[in-house]
Amino acid sequence: MIRVLVVDDSTFMRNSLTRMLTSDPEIEVVGQAGDGIEALEKTKELNPDLISLDLEMPRMGGLEMLEKMMRDNPKPVLVISSLTYEGAEATLKALELGALDYMPKYVEGTTVFAIAQKELTEKVKALVKSPSTRLILAKMRMKAVKSAVTARAGAPAAASSAASPLSSAAAAQTSSANAKLSSLSIKAVPGQGQATYVRPSEPLPTGRPNRDIVAISVSTGGPPAVQKVLTALPENFPACILIAQHMPAAFTGAFAKRLDSLCKITVKEAKNGDPIIPGIAYVCPGAQHISVTIKGALPQIKVSPEPTTEIYKPCANILNRSVAIMGNKVVGLTMTGMGADGCEGSKVLKAKGGYLLAQSEDTCVVYGMPRAVVEAKIADDIVDLDDIADALIRALYK
């Protein structure tokens, strides 16, 4: 049974979320809290498996509560966010602080959930059951222990050659934390989700690459993962990047703006007719699809709500099928996410000469979309998140 703590300052929303969650026989709501202070107390008292977290609350808001909890007692968190630009900014900050994912709270000011009850419960189960969630939280807990030890022991005590009782206790506590983390290491099944890519010792290649388009398919857990990859790319990255991130329309502009402020390359929300230019990453607007068309002799970006029948907007399958017209010029990257969107398009891209990378199981928040690509046996490399930027650059020259 998955035990959930529901945190929201609205009684109506708390009760609505409780009804939705408990409709699934695998989920139990063990408590509710109306603000961050109460939520921290109930987290210690109830030890839930996951917390659904509102961000705008009295006394202590969700961001402050999340920062304190991740520092002292990390737990899986699903943010319930308002569909506004401010809500998007706060949600992206929450993901940086350690929240695993989010879902929209309102549609046009009403209290109708944008994501169906079935998707909410599936997301909660996927986040709690994901093997990588355990490892992510273990790393956070070890960091919290080390920070506490450093604060207690102090730099002079740590540097002293004569071990005091405090420094001895600190060392023991740190050793214990390291041992626990080691015991929590996750081993994927060889040939399935385990990384096959080993970062070469040779310098990164330079000059004009053989491939100059990167198509990224990503969903649950994507924003922090995409940020990690893009911020590691050099200013002279020699390819254009197209990103199909499952995200509400109100969020993609803020997401692109945030990435642009952090990255050496340029990041912008895509517009219909944008040119394919190296060193620019285009984020598909929410509720739209991104694809590539040929106008004259040159490729350009197409942004459109069509086809409206697709479950996902943006749809990664549409992106991957479209770039397949330039298959041997393309690197396809499938990252963390629920479901299998992008896999069928990746098969078309692979058949046309595309080079495919898939994020490793150990480093995905939810190993769904990459799993589909790996199990279809079309991934050229399975790559840990920390190595994706390196693997991308090298793949451009293959």
Side-chain angles (χ1 to χ4, degrees):
M1 185 70 75
I2 296 172
R3 305 169 73 254
V4 178
L5 173 64
V6 175
V7 183
D8 197 294
D9 64 334
S10 163
T11 302
F12 173 81
M13 292 304 298
R14 291 198 302 271
N15 291 338
S16 295
L17 277 169
T18 297
R19 285 194 297 272
M20 293 174 74
L21 291 165
T22 55
S23 68
D24 191 293
E26 293 184 49
I27 300 174
E28 174 189 8
V29 174
V30 294
Q32 297 182 357
D35 59 56
I37 294 174
E38 185 181 7
L40 289 174
E41 294 171 350
K42 290 200 172 181
T43 299
K44 290 181 181 178
E45 174 191 347
L46 300 171
N47 193 29
D49 299 313
L50 179 137
I51 297 167
S52 74
L53 181 64
D54 182 25
L55 296 179
E56 296 182 12
M57 298 181 292
R59 294 209 300 166
M60 181 186 287
L63 289 177
E64 185 180 356
M65 177 261 178
L66 182 62
E67 188 170 15
K68 288 179 179 293
M69 187 186 71
M70 289 304 181
R71 185 178 63 236
D72 302 330
N73 183 27
K75 293 287 182 184
V77 172
L78 173 65
V79 170
I80 309 296
S81 178
S82 60
L83 280 175
T84 63
Y85 187 86
E86 293 76 14
E89 283 282 330
T91 300
L92 293 171
K93 178 63 176 175
L95 293 171
E96 283 188 8
L97 290 173
L100 295 178
D101 200 28
Y102 64 92
M103 65 168 284
K105 185 174 185 179
Y106 299 113
V107 176
E108 296 179 354
T110 72
T111 50
V112 178
F113 278 93
I115 297 178
Q117 175 175 292
K118 183 174 183 290
E119 188 166 349
L120 169 64
T121 55
E122 286 181 350
K123 182 168 287 194
V124 167
K125 290 189 289 186
L127 292 176
V128 172
K129 293 178 181 180
S130 169
S132 65
T133 295
R134 186 165 164 247
L135 183 57
I136 290 167
L137 292 175
K139 288 180 177 178
M140 287 183 177
R141 290 185 183 114
M142 188 183 75
K143 184 179 179 181
V145 168
K146 287 186 174 180
S147 295
V149 167
T150 301
R152 289 175 55 205
S160 174
S161 57
S164 68
L166 179 58
S167 61
S168 297
Q173 194 171 6
T174 302
S175 176
S176 175
N178 285 327
K180 287 180 180 179
L181 179 61
S182 177
S183 70
L184 287 170
S185 295
I186 299 164
K187 301 299 181 185
V189 178
Q192 295 297 311
Q194 192 174 39
T196 60
Y197 181 83
V198 179
R199 190 181 294 221
S201 58
E202 295 82 6
L204 288 168
T206 57
R208 186 170 181 174
N210 298 319
R211 304 172 189 269
D212 52 20
I213 294 177
V214 175
I216 298 179
S217 309
V218 61
S219 185
T220 309
V226 170
Q227 177 177 312
K228 188 173 186 66
V229 172
L230 266 56
T231 53
L233 297 177
E235 185 178 5
N236 62 346
F237 183 71
C240 182
I241 302 173
L242 311 179
I243 304 170
Q245 161 76 62
H246 296 164
M247 184 176 275
F251 282 29
T252 47
F255 182 45
K257 184 178 179 180
R258 189 176 192 86
L259 288 173
D260 188 60
S261 71
L262 298 170
C263 295
K264 298 181 184 73
I265 63 172
T266 298
V267 184
K268 59 181 291 188
E269 192 174 35
K271 294 180 181 178
N272 193 48
D274 277 337
I276 300 293
I277 300 176
I280 296 182
Y282 293 100
V283 176
C284 181
Q288 305 278 321
H289 301 296
I290 188 169
S291 58
V292 173
T293 60
I294 303 296
K295 188 171 184 179
L298 298 175
Q300 68 176 27
I301 292 172
K302 179 181 178 181
V303 175
S304 171
E306 300 294 336
T308 59
T309 53
E310 290 290 343
I311 297 174
Y312 301 108
K313 288 186 179 180
C315 175
N317 277 324
I318 288 176
L319 170 60
N320 290 334
R321 289 192 195 104
S322 75
V323 295
I325 60 175
M326 299 168 291
N328 63 358
K329 303 287 287 180
V330 180
V331 176
L333 168 62
T334 304
M335 300 181 71
T336 177
M338 291 175 62
D341 183 32
C343 183
E344 291 305 312
S346 292
K347 291 177 182 177
V348 177
L349 176 55
K350 178 72 172 179
K352 296 293 185 178
Y355 194 92
L356 302 187
L357 305 176
Q359 186 178 346
S360 68
E361 181 175 8
D362 288 6
T363 62
C364 286
V365 171
V366 176
Y367 185 60
M369 290 166 59
R371 181 195 294 274
V373 171
V374 171
E375 292 185 347
K377 301 186 185 305
I378 54 175
D380 291 287
D381 285 307
I382 304 169
V383 191
D384 286 341
L385 180 59
D386 287 346
D387 291 327
I388 288 178
D390 185 90
L392 267 183
I393 295 172
R394 296 181 190 276
L396 295 176
Y397 293 85
K398 295 181 178 180

